[in-house]
Amino acid sequence: MKKTLMPILNRLQALACGLALVGTGALAAYPDKPIHIVLPFPAGAAADTAMRVIATQLTEQLKQPVIIDNKPGAPGFQSVASAPADGYTLILGAGSHIVTEPMIKTRLAYQPERDLTPVGMVLTNTPVFTATPSLGVKSLGDLLSLLKRKPDELNYSSGGVGSPNHLAMEAFQQATGTRLVNIPYKGGAPSVNDLVAGHVQVGINAIPSVIQYIQVGKLQPLAVAAPRRHASLPQVPTFTELGVSGLDYEIWYGLFAPAKTPKALVLQINKALQTSLADPGVVRQLKAQGAEPSPGSPEALAGYIRRDTEKWRQVIRNSGIRPE
């Protein structure tokens, strides 16, 4: 019996070794063609501008063109979820895409936990709470006094139900005992545009999205949602400084690959990403936009997702937002 089985076992062992060598060879050859990073944001959005800076340095690190493909919303994630797990199609996902939207939109065509694997954190942005100058408030204290006198009369703009600025404003209302009316828009850009135009009174947005309007006096900054003041707006206090706790959070963006992408390949891409984010020229350009490069391991990004999930699940539960 042993003599009969031995030739079969030998052939199976040889086949396994051959497959391992093929896999090793394929990994050693990566990349041998352009890499596409899908952005679920329109061209010109803050994340788009930042990622194009990073893509230039990634091209140098990987020795192949890194191409940005703008596919706003769920279609971008669907395209990556169905792509081969070979490292040539990646996606830049925000916390709203990965954490909060799946909590609220139960019929999403993609499921991050099932369809994607973390490659590494890319950027974090600090949110800043602003008011339109026509409202006449100069500080958070002024606004809180106004909200106490006029509950449910002031509007705030958001990028839609479950968007970062919507949930941040829900957290603000829970922390301060105030009530405002959400005016949802189809995306962050139109919500900022109407805030600047004065069609809504207040909003909370990532610094890169509004800093240009703050600098020319078209928006009045009231507080930043961070543990410490931001270098781009050193004159603006934090919520904690102003006596409002529990509002420290970051708007984050991470790089993801299709599920089942080999771990060794994920680590190879992560190494190129971390090197790119540490490049002095990249750091300088991102900071000029108000963004913070945040290199880290795939495991660190996965941990960030777990922590964010617990935080926003509680906010959503307290706000009474119903899953769609």
Side-chain angles (χ1 to χ4, degrees):
M1 188 68 168
K2 286 185 178 179
K3 290 182 179 180
T4 305
L5 286 175
M6 283 304 294
I8 298 173
L9 292 173
N10 289 337
R11 284 197 297 272
L12 288 174
Q13 187 176 22
L15 177 61
C17 291
L19 289 173
L21 288 172
V22 169
T24 303
L27 182 59
Y30 177 87
D32 60 4
K33 62 181 180 180
I35 298 148
H36 290 256
I37 298 181
V38 174
L39 262 62
F41 313 97
D48 173 79
T49 303
M51 196 63 217
R52 290 179 186 277
V53 172
I54 298 165
T56 300
Q57 184 58 221
L58 274 173
T59 294
E60 290 191 22
Q61 295 299 320
L62 294 170
K63 311 301 180 187
Q64 286 289 340
V66 175
I67 300 167
I68 299 297
D69 294 335
N70 297 94
K71 296 180 181 178
F77 283 91
Q78 289 174 258
S79 69
V80 176
S82 61
D86 57 7
Y88 290 99
T89 305
L90 309 168
I91 190 165
L92 183 74
S96 56
H97 300 125
I98 305 301
V99 176
T100 54
E101 280 192 20
M103 291 183 191
I104 296 170
K105 299 179 180 178
T106 57
R107 297 179 183 178
L108 275 179
Y110 69 95
Q111 295 180 24
E113 191 172 355
R114 179 195 68 194
D115 298 330
L116 302 173
T117 188
V119 173
M121 187 78 90
V122 179
L123 299 168
T124 56
N125 286 328
T126 296
V128 58
F129 192 26
T130 61
T132 181
S134 61
L135 190 60
V137 299
K138 298 294 184 182
S139 68
L140 185 65
D142 291 344
L143 178 65
L144 291 174
S145 297
L146 183 60
L147 290 172
K148 298 292 186 183
R149 297 195 308 270
K150 297 182 176 182
D152 296 316
E153 291 189 29
L154 270 63
N155 299 328
Y156 71 90
S157 62
S158 77
V161 175
S163 63
N165 39 20
H166 172 220
L167 295 181
M169 288 300 296
E170 288 291 342
F172 170 78
Q173 292 173 88
Q174 292 170 23
T176 59
T178 55
R179 299 199 307 271
L180 299 95
V181 179
N182 178 25
I183 307 298
Y185 292 78
K186 291 183 178 180
S191 74
V192 170
N193 291 341
D194 266 20
L195 174 61
V196 173
H199 300 314
V200 292
Q201 287 81 49
V202 296
I204 186 164
N205 297 278
I207 285 177
S209 300
V210 294
I211 189 168
Q212 58 182 315
Y213 304 113
I214 292 172
Q215 290 170 337
V216 297
K218 291 186 176 181
L219 287 176
Q220 173 66 45
L222 303 177
V224 292
R228 61 192 62 84
R229 296 192 183 199
H230 196 275
S232 299
L233 297 169
Q235 78 282 11
V236 183
T238 68
F239 277 111
T240 302
E241 285 181 81
L242 299 172
V244 180
S245 60
L247 293 182
D248 295 343
Y249 83 101
E250 293 174 317
I251 297 172
W252 60 264
Y253 303 87
L255 194 64
F256 295 83
K260 299 183 180 178
T261 300
K263 180 67 173 179
L265 191 52
V266 168
L267 292 176
Q268 187 175 341
I269 300 168
N270 176 270
K271 181 180 179 181
L273 176 64
Q274 292 203 53
T275 302
S276 297
L277 290 171
D279 178 79
V282 170
V283 172
R284 183 174 60 254
Q285 291 181 73
L286 294 179
K287 285 183 175 292
Q289 297 173 18
E292 291 291 332
S294 302
S297 68
E299 292 75 19
L301 175 54
Y304 208 102
I305 292 168
R306 287 192 295 271
R307 292 190 295 273
D308 237 21
T309 297
E310 290 304 312
K311 176 184 180 68
W312 293 117
R313 181 181 286 124
Q314 188 65 38
V315 171
I316 290 170
R317 184 183 297 122
N318 293 342
S319 69
I321 298 172
R322 296 181 179 275
E324 299 175 358

